[in-house]
């Protein structure tokens, strides 16, 4: 559950730092969000099916 909450917090942070002039930080946060979200989904699937 903590991973799911952290995905939403990171998403809010990514929206807050978005700037067309400096997209590097935004893209790095989106990459971290995708990795944490994938781990979160895998933990959910393992808990539900495993």
């Amino acid at each position: 559950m903590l991973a799911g909450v952290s995905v939403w917090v990171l998403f809010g942070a990514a929206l807050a730092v978005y700037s067309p002039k400096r997209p590097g930080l935004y893209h790095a946060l989106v990459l971290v969000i995708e990795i944490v979200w994938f781990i979160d989904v895998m933990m959910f699937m393992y808990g539900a099916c495993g």
Side-chain angles (χ1 to χ4, degrees):
M1 191 165 143
L2 187 61
V5 171
S6 65
V7 167
W8 285 105
V9 170
L10 286 169
F11 178 70
L15 289 178
V17 301
Y18 175 74
S19 172
K21 296 178 184 174
R22 195 182 64 196
L25 181 59
Y26 173 76
H27 288 246
L29 279 173
V30 168
L31 177 64
V32 170
I33 289 168
E34 289 180 9
I35 292 169
V36 173
W37 179 82
F38 178 76
I39 292 169
D40 184 37
V41 168
M42 290 298 110
M43 288 189 313
F44 173 77
M45 294 299 285
Y46 180 73
C49 301

